[in-house]
Amino acid sequence: MSSVIRLLSPRLANQIAAGEVVERPASVVKELLENSIDAGATRLDVEVEEGGVKLMRVRDNGVGLSKDDLPLALSRHATSKIYELDDLEAVGTLGFRGEALASISSVSRLLITGNQSDNPTEGWSARSEGRDMATELMPAPHPRGATVEVRDLFFNTPARRKFLRTEKTEFSRLEEVVKRLALAHFDIAFSLSHNGRAIHQWRACNSRIEQERRLGQICGNAFLENSLYVEVERAGLKLWGWVALPAFSRSQADLQHFYVNGRAIRDKLVTHAVRQAYQDVLFHGRHPAYVLYLELDPATVDVNVHPTKHEVRFRDSRLVHDFLFRTLHHALADVRPQDQMQPQEASPAPKVAGASSGVFGPQSALGLATPGQATPQVLDSQPASHWQNARPAPQALQQQMQSYGALHPSPAPAQPLPDTPEDMPPLGFAIAQLKGVYILAENAQGLVVVDAHAAHERITYERMKAAFDAEGLRAQPLLVPESIPVSEKEADLAEEHAQIFNNLGFGIERAGPETLLIRQIPVILGQARVEQLVRDVLSDLSEHGSSERIRHHINEILATMACHGSVRANRKLTIPEMNALLRDMEATERSGQCNHGRPTWFLQSMDALDKLFLRGQ
């Protein structure tokens, strides 16, 4: 290896830059579309052949390019997005590095055509085939806007071409890029074709209804039907978009779209904040789904921290984290059963606390026979008491838990069903109890099945949290202060965020450069591993600028207490007691899920039941 320092040739420098920007056809299309969006385009057409390896053509109707601009557009570090340092500190465009076209042209055969006038005959084009600069400049008819053709990607770097996947895989990744940008810019029309076949066609959206139509086309109607729309603006931050109900969770984090000022990002701080918002309602191992947009002053976010611009850095990360967490936490908490009911004439798909039937399986979730199976017994002639489990609860359970009515007195006797659907409560009125586990109720839509233990667990948990917050944290001093060896950075964090610990009942002081003393702890955490908890909080503060870990640990203890203090299986409830539970569910936050994220109720509409039994066919 030579020790002589030499200046890289422009061609080699471009190809090295291409290694950072151009990974595959999808990354090329991303850069081209972002340039078109920055150019003010209102329509974008993408044509692809052989997954993008043979051809990628992006056509827009933006401001276009003049004859003099074309050679510069293919030069390194040439851009119309920024001109001085102040522009870089408040980037408001998607592209700004001035490397994309130069990098792409160094590993492909590129043709760019543009026109800035309304006269189509005044268009010009420039061609580059892996060379240092565009050498061919020629007239080319073209309407206002620009078209970029990229052919034979990596034709001059065969080693990199070997790393590409199959045509189907490469097109799938390219399609995902187009979808992400279509979600980010509802005001732009998009089209995508592959090997001459139209794949997607999305019109520009001028209303929220049109936005949701595009959202359903890209993310699926199931996501749209089972999501909440949020829009909150505070302290210079605005968050809007759609978050899925907890029951519509995913096995993979494959339906998570987050945009900052129109730029799609993947950020650990954002993921942590969203995950925290779902922590009380998400089943373990599942992932939330969302399409969210954060708008803030461009000067308060640095988008120049990664070559692909997928990551950002917020100036006040703690403010952003807390804003995201609290906004989504309150949005999910405010969901009530009445918000999750579909009109009776709507789709007959079963609904589990707002989820589509696909999440929990088809209609067999109720244990009902499907056509072709044995005919179920007719129960209409049986009295309601026959539906209740006659077996007595085990003695231990009877001693541990009294009936729901003993804890929460219920109005009695039960009221008859109202004559009009408008007078019917969202979860309806109880008609029976099944096997001492499920409450069967009738509402305006049809049959509601409620897991009594799961529902009561959530109600008890929310009441315990409210009582705990109202009474405040009771702290107990330690007879012998506990010493914790920490790093100097962690000790500094503990000093800087001492108020956070104080608010949560901890008395922590610094006893040396790398030593902390715990002098008091919350009473409820008397049996917890306090040292490990403090270390985890310091880790959160270092990573995210805030921590909900102590509060989460307290909530876990309250959740355990609520679980042990809730109605158990095989507890025989009276009709008034069951109705009292239903009314409490309708008034309780997060009542669609228990403390462990399991659904608490299930709706089977009359239309679905009619289809199940082939009525009217």
Side-chain angles (χ1 to χ4, degrees):
M1 183 177 67
S2 174
S3 61
V4 178
I5 298 176
R6 297 175 180 172
L7 194 65
L8 293 175
S9 68
R11 180 179 180 180
L12 184 56
N14 281 347
Q15 290 188 338
I16 292 173
E20 296 180 339
V21 177
V22 184
E23 300 177 49
R24 51 182 16 97
S27 53
V28 172
V29 168
K30 173 182 178 293
E31 296 291 344
L32 298 182
L33 287 176
E34 287 181 348
N35 277 343
S36 295
I37 292 169
D38 286 339
T42 60
R43 178 170 185 82
L44 295 170
D45 299 306
V46 183
E47 301 172 43
V48 177
E49 293 182 12
E50 296 182 9
V53 177
K54 181 179 180 181
L55 170 68
M56 291 169 281
R57 181 184 294 117
V58 175
R59 180 181 295 110
D60 69 59
N61 62 347
V63 296
L65 293 161
S66 68
K67 177 182 178 182
D68 296 333
D69 285 338
L70 288 171
L72 284 173
L74 297 173
S75 304
R76 285 197 73 199
H77 306 309
T79 178
S80 61
K81 318 295 175 61
I82 58 174
Y83 296 101
E84 52 191 27
L85 182 59
D86 289 344
D87 298 333
L88 187 61
E89 293 177 352
V91 175
T93 54
L94 298 177
F96 56 89
R97 291 172 176 269
E99 294 182 349
L101 288 176
S103 299
I104 294 168
S105 67
S106 69
V107 291
S108 67
R109 296 184 171 94
L110 186 145
L111 175 67
I112 179 170
T113 307
N115 187 0
Q116 288 186 329
S117 74
D118 293 326
N119 185 351
T121 62
E122 295 183 14
W124 286 82
S125 67
R127 185 184 301 275
S128 173
E129 296 190 2
R131 288 187 283 235
D132 301 335
M133 296 287 292
T135 56
E136 299 180 45
L137 195 63
M138 63 198 80
H142 194 280
R144 178 187 288 272
T147 299
V148 181
E149 290 185 8
V150 179
R151 294 181 180 271
D152 303 326
L153 186 64
F154 300 137
F155 78 97
N156 55 351
T157 52
R160 296 194 55 195
R161 191 160 186 163
K162 291 179 182 178
F163 283 92
L164 295 179
R165 304 297 183 183
T166 63
E167 176 181 328
K168 180 180 179 181
T169 299
E170 293 300 335
F171 176 74
S172 176
R173 294 183 177 182
L174 186 152
E175 181 186 25
E176 189 63 27
V177 166
V178 178
K179 287 181 176 180
R180 282 201 301 267
L181 286 169
L183 284 176
H185 302 277
F186 287 108
D187 57 332
I188 299 177
F190 287 81
S191 70
L192 173 64
S193 64
H194 185 217
N195 293 334
R197 184 169 66 92
I199 305 298
H200 296 297
Q201 187 86 32
W202 297 304
R203 297 179 180 178
C205 306
N206 300 312
S207 66
R208 183 171 146 193
I209 292 178
E210 294 175 342
Q211 290 177 352
E212 292 185 341
R213 185 179 298 119
R214 180 183 290 190
L215 183 71
Q217 292 170 345
I218 295 176
C219 298
N221 286 326
F223 169 78
L224 182 60
E225 292 167 1
N226 298 287
S227 61
L228 307 170
Y229 180 80
V230 298
E231 185 171 0
V232 177
E233 190 167 0
R234 189 181 302 119
L237 303 172
K238 180 180 180 181
L239 181 70
W240 64 279
W242 296 264
V243 290
L245 294 165
F248 187 79
S249 58
R250 313 276 290 184
S251 60
Q252 306 290 331
D254 58 349
L255 214 172
Q256 297 181 349
H257 300 280
F258 196 90
Y259 300 89
V260 176
N261 292 341
R263 184 189 306 277
I265 67 158
R266 295 189 296 266
D267 188 88
K268 289 189 295 183
L269 180 141
V270 169
T271 302
H272 184 266
V274 175
R275 189 79 190 183
Q276 272 198 329
Y278 276 88
Q279 69 183 5
D280 243 4
V281 289
L282 200 65
F283 195 67
H284 59 81
R286 305 289 293 182
H287 299 269
Y290 52 84
V291 179
L292 292 169
Y293 306 83
L294 178 64
E295 298 174 9
L296 70 168
D297 184 351
T300 63
V301 56
D302 183 5
V303 299
N304 193 25
V305 296
H306 194 275
T308 60
K309 302 185 287 291
H310 281 152
E311 299 176 8
V312 297
R313 183 182 295 116
F314 298 102
R315 178 182 296 176
D316 192 341
S317 59
R318 181 176 176 182
L319 174 67
V320 173
H321 182 281
D322 288 350
F323 173 70
L324 295 177
F325 164 69
R326 298 189 188 284
T327 299
L328 298 179
H329 182 72
H330 291 310
L332 294 170
D334 285 342
V335 178
R336 300 291 192 275
Q338 53 266 37
D339 301 320
Q340 301 168 247
M341 294 291 181
Q342 291 180 341
Q344 195 164 0
E345 64 273 10
S347 171
K351 200 162 189 169
V352 182
S356 67
S357 58
V359 178
F360 294 93
Q363 297 178 12
S364 59
L366 278 178
L368 300 176
T370 54
Q373 294 178 330
T375 304
Q377 291 183 335
V378 178
L379 299 177
D380 290 345
S381 60
Q382 303 289 348
S385 60
H386 179 81
W387 288 34
Q388 299 181 356
N389 185 7
R391 292 176 299 171
Q395 187 65 30
L397 288 178
Q398 288 182 343
Q399 294 173 349
Q400 185 179 25
M401 184 60 220
Q402 300 300 316
S403 71
Y404 186 81
L407 290 177
H408 307 287
S410 309
Q415 298 296 318
L417 295 180
D419 295 330
T420 61
E422 292 78 11
D423 298 328
M424 179 79 77
L427 293 179
F429 291 107
I431 53 178
Q433 187 178 11
L434 180 64
K435 299 295 185 183
V437 177
Y438 300 106
I439 295 172
L440 307 182
E442 178 183 349
N443 75 348
Q445 283 78 27
L447 176 67
V448 177
V449 183
V450 176
D451 184 328
H453 171 73
H456 188 208
E457 185 178 2
R458 169 59 70 180
I459 294 167
T460 305
Y461 177 44
E462 293 298 331
R463 286 176 173 169
M464 291 178 71
K465 286 197 297 182
F468 187 80
D469 292 337
E471 295 173 3
L473 280 163
R474 287 188 297 163
Q476 63 181 21
L478 299 179
L479 292 176
V480 179
E482 187 171 346
S483 176
I484 303 179
V486 295
S487 68
E488 189 171 349
K489 178 184 177 182
E490 289 175 324
D492 292 340
L493 279 171
E495 274 194 319
E496 180 184 350
H497 299 282
Q499 191 60 42
I500 291 179
F501 287 100
N502 291 337
N503 293 342
L504 292 167
F506 277 84
I508 296 180
E509 64 180 45
R510 190 169 189 167
E514 298 180 345
T515 305
L516 295 176
L517 279 182
I518 303 177
R519 293 194 176 275
Q520 74 174 26
I521 62 173
V523 172
I524 198 170
L525 297 181
Q527 303 300 318
R529 297 175 58 195
V530 175
E531 178 179 343
Q532 186 59 48
L533 184 57
V534 170
R535 292 186 185 278
D536 290 344
V537 171
L538 291 174
S539 176
D540 286 347
L541 292 173
S542 176
E543 183 75 16
H544 308 293
S546 65
S547 177
E548 291 286 326
R549 197 177 292 267
I550 294 175
R551 180 69 207 199
H552 181 54
H553 200 79
I554 292 172
N555 286 349
E556 284 181 340
I557 295 173
L558 295 178
T560 301
M561 295 168 64
C563 182
H564 290 300
S566 299
V567 173
R568 297 295 179 176
N570 300 323
R571 283 302 299 161
K572 188 174 180 180
L573 301 177
T574 66
I575 294 293
E577 288 169 351
M578 289 187 278
N579 280 328
L581 180 60
L582 297 178
R583 301 294 78 78
D584 281 344
M585 287 179 65
E586 292 162 354
T588 301
E589 293 182 344
R590 309 174 187 88
S591 61
Q593 291 77 35
C594 75
N595 311 343
H596 312 292
R598 293 192 300 110
T600 59
W601 62 272
F602 180 97
L603 171 66
Q604 190 81 332
S605 71
M606 287 300 297
D607 287 344
L609 289 170
D610 289 343
K611 289 183 69 174
L612 186 66
F613 290 101
L614 305 180
R615 289 179 62 87
Q617 298 186 23

